[in-house]
Amino acid sequence: MRIRLRPLVAATGALALSLVSGCAQSGAAGSSAHTVTYWLWDANQLPAYQACAKGFEKENPGLKVKITQLGWSDYWTKLTAGFIAGTAPDVFTDHIQNFGQFADLKVLEPLDDLGIEDSDYQPGLAANWVGQDGHRYGAPKDWDTVALFYNSKMTEDAGLTAEQLNDLSWNPKDGGTFEKAIARLTVDRNGKRGDEAGFDKNNVKVYGMATGGGGFGDGQTQWSPFTGSAGWNYLDKPRWGTKYQYDSKTFQSVVRWYFGLAKKGYMPPLSDYNIQSNQQNTQIAAGKAATAFDGAWMISTYAGFKGKDIETAVTPTGPAGKRATMMNGLADSITKASKNKAGARKWVAYLASDRCQTVVGKSGVVFPATPAGTAAAVAAYRKKGIDVSAFTEPVADKKRFRTFSYPIASYSADMTALMAPAMEDIYGNGKPVSSLDQTNEQINLILSQ
C-alpha cells in the first residue's frame, strides 16, 4: 500500500542518520538465532504474510518469523529511529523513494547471494533495487500502476461510454478529448456542466476530476501520467541520475496545463485537498468528483464504496504517442544491524519466491512481483468481480503504453522537501511554472555533493 511519503527525514533527522555508524547497535528488536523480525505497514496484507510465515516456518524448522504491522507514519518514524538505536527489524518492507537514502547511509545489507534474476519478475522491478555500488539491496515484492477510476453513473449521465473513456487523448494546448470529458463531467450548483454556457466555475458541485494535491516531486497519482506520456523524464538517467529535469519546458508546459484545470473549475482547488482526510478516493466516495487517477493498491478501496459502481479506464494517450503510467514496486530489505542475517536471508528469499508471492496474490490486495503471483492476483480480483485490466495492460503492452519508475537518485528526501512547496505554490498560489527553474537548480546542487 502506498499512501504518500513525506520527506523521510528533516535536516536534523538526516544528521542523526548519518551518525548511525557511530552508535552502539544492540541488534534488531526481538531478533535471535531462532527468530526473524519483519515489519510491514499495510494491514490489508498482514493476513497474507502471516500465511507466508507459516509456510516458511514449515520449511525451516526451528526458525520463527515475528511480524509487526505499523501504521504508515509510525512505520517510517520508528524505522528511522531503529537505524539510529540499533533496534530496527531484521527485515522490512522498503519503498523506492527511501532506497537511495538508505543505500547511501549504508544501513542495508547486500543481497547479492540470493540469486535474484531480473527475468524472474515483472520487467524493471529487480533492477530498481541495485545501488550505485552495483550491489543489490532489495528483493522484489510487488508492483503497481496508475489508472483512471470513475463513477459509472456520473459518466453515463454525462453521455460518456466506457469505450470513450478508454480512448481519451490529451495535449498541453487544449487538453484534447481528455479535458473535454473532464469538463463534461463537471457540474456546478445550478446543474450546468463545464462544457455548457453559463457554467459557474466558482460554485462547483461535482468536479470532473478529483485532486491529489501538488504531487510533490513525483506526481505519481497526479500529473505523472501526463508528463510521462509527453515523453519527459525525471532524471538524465533512468536510475541514479545526476540531474533532475524540472526545468524542462516540456515538464513545465504539462504542469501549467494540469493545474490550469483547477482554474477552469474542472478540478478542486488545492485547499480542498488534505493528505490525511480528503484524498482522491475520499472525494469520489463523497460524490464530490467523478474521476480520479489512483494506484493499483487502492483497487479494493474503490470497489468497496457502498452504493457506487466504480470502474477503471487506462490513462490517456499523450503527445508522445503512448499512454503512460508510473510502475512502482516495493521490496524486502535486510538491515545492516540484523543479528540474524542467515535467517533473514532465508526469509527474504522465501518472500521473493512464487511460494509466497502466489499466496499473497490469492488475497487479491496487491500485484506480487513474480508473473505467477500477478496471475494469482488477477484471478482473485476476477473472482471478486473486479476488472483490473487497466492496471495490467500497461505492463503487458509496451507498444501502446510507456511505464516508468519513481525517480531513483540520492538525496530523494531533499528533492521531495523542495518540490512539495514549489508545486503547491504553483497549484494553490498561482506562482509561475518558471519558478521551477530555481527549485531544480537547488535540487541539483544538493545532488552534486
Side-chain angles (χ1 to χ4, degrees):
M1 179 181 182
R2 252 69 84 229
I3 301 175
R4 164 46 56 197
L5 275 176
R6 298 171 183 172
L8 177 63
V9 283
T12 53
L15 176 61
L17 265 179
S18 70
L19 298 177
V20 167
S21 60
C23 293
Q25 297 181 357
S26 58
S31 66
S32 71
H34 305 292
T35 304
V36 177
T37 53
Y38 179 53
W39 287 10
L40 51 78
W41 64 75
D42 190 354
N44 293 327
Q45 295 186 59
L46 180 59
Y49 284 101
Q50 289 172 329
C52 283
K54 289 182 179 179
F56 172 78
E57 291 168 355
K58 187 175 181 180
E59 287 189 18
N60 297 272
L63 266 180
K64 297 292 182 183
V65 178
K66 181 182 178 182
I67 301 178
T68 299
Q69 183 267 320
L70 299 164
W72 178 261
S73 296
D74 286 343
Y75 182 89
W76 296 106
T77 300
K78 291 183 178 181
L79 183 63
T80 303
F83 285 139
I84 299 168
T87 57
D90 294 307
V91 182
F92 69 98
T93 300
D94 205 349
H95 193 291
I96 199 69
Q97 182 173 352
N98 290 336
F99 171 47
Q101 189 169 17
F102 288 165
D104 289 345
L105 293 170
K106 302 185 186 305
V107 294
L108 305 179
E109 180 73 9
L111 305 177
D112 304 306
D113 59 343
L114 293 189
I116 301 294
E117 298 289 343
D118 289 5
S119 59
D120 291 337
Y121 304 92
Q122 297 290 3
L125 295 183
N128 283 349
W129 294 93
V130 175
Q132 295 188 78
D133 59 4
H135 292 296
R136 170 170 301 285
Y137 294 101
K141 182 183 190 69
D142 59 29
W143 62 270
D144 55 73
T145 50
V146 173
L148 185 69
F149 289 87
Y150 64 89
N151 183 316
S152 62
K153 184 180 186 306
M154 289 183 177
T155 57
E156 288 172 8
D157 289 346
L160 295 169
T161 66
E163 290 74 20
Q164 288 174 310
L165 292 169
N166 278 285
D167 193 35
L168 298 175
S169 62
W170 79 279
N171 66 74
K173 294 182 179 179
D174 62 17
T177 57
F178 174 81
E179 183 171 326
K180 289 180 180 179
I182 297 304
R184 182 67 185 165
L185 289 165
T186 303
V187 184
D188 70 15
R189 298 196 177 279
N190 295 316
K192 292 286 187 180
R193 294 189 175 274
D195 60 354
E196 295 178 335
F199 167 70
D200 185 354
K201 67 178 183 179
N202 296 314
N203 290 284
V204 177
K205 182 180 181 181
V206 178
Y207 291 95
M209 183 172 70
T211 178
F216 295 78
D218 62 277
Q220 182 178 12
T221 58
Q222 295 86 12
W223 38 261
S224 77
F226 302 104
T227 54
S229 59
W232 176 79
N233 299 301
Y234 296 93
L235 292 151
D236 56 345
K237 294 190 293 185
R239 300 178 183 92
W240 303 110
T242 58
K243 291 183 179 180
Y244 279 95
Q245 302 185 127
Y246 298 116
D247 58 348
S248 158
K249 298 306 179 186
T250 296
F251 176 77
Q252 293 182 12
S253 69
V254 175
V255 169
R256 183 187 298 109
W257 165 79
Y258 177 79
F259 291 134
L261 295 175
K263 292 181 180 180
K264 296 174 182 177
Y266 307 154
M267 183 171 73
L270 178 61
S271 57
D272 280 19
Y273 177 75
N274 186 290
I275 196 170
Q276 300 296 336
S277 61
N278 197 29
Q279 297 190 34
Q280 295 103 308
N281 70 94
T282 314
Q283 297 161 42
I284 294 289
K288 300 295 184 181
T291 72
F293 283 100
D294 220 332
W297 63 92
M298 294 297 293
I299 292 172
S300 296
T301 298
Y302 283 92
F305 292 156
K306 293 183 179 180
K308 289 182 172 59
D309 182 15
I310 308 298
E311 303 290 341
T312 52
V314 293
T315 57
T317 302
K322 289 187 177 183
R323 305 174 188 280
T325 170
M326 181 181 289
M327 185 178 179
N328 202 8
L330 303 182
D332 288 305
S333 296
I334 298 176
T335 59
K336 195 80 170 178
S338 168
K339 292 299 183 181
N340 189 0
K341 291 181 182 177
R345 274 179 156 74
K346 290 181 179 180
W347 173 233
V348 169
Y350 189 85
L351 288 169
S353 72
D354 279 335
R355 302 193 302 287
C356 176
Q357 299 219 351
T358 52
V359 169
V360 175
K362 289 176 182 177
S363 69
V365 176
V366 293
F367 296 117
T370 66
T374 297
V378 171
Y381 281 121
R382 186 183 300 116
K383 191 173 181 180
K384 295 178 182 181
I386 302 173
D387 178 10
V388 295
S389 58
F391 299 94
T392 57
E393 281 183 21
V395 179
D397 188 352
K398 298 304 182 184
K399 289 185 178 180
R400 293 195 306 129
F401 293 87
R402 177 198 177 199
T403 58
F404 53 91
S405 173
Y406 181 93
I408 301 172
S410 298
Y411 303 105
S412 58
D414 299 274
M415 177 275 287
T416 301
L418 287 167
M419 281 297 290
M423 296 300 277
E424 288 184 355
D425 266 347
I426 294 169
Y427 183 6
N429 301 321
K431 198 169 183 178
V433 294
S434 59
S435 62
L436 292 173
D437 290 351
Q438 182 177 0
T439 304
N440 192 72
E441 185 177 349
Q442 292 173 323
I443 294 171
N444 286 337
L445 181 62
I446 295 171
L447 193 57
S448 66
Q449 294 178 2

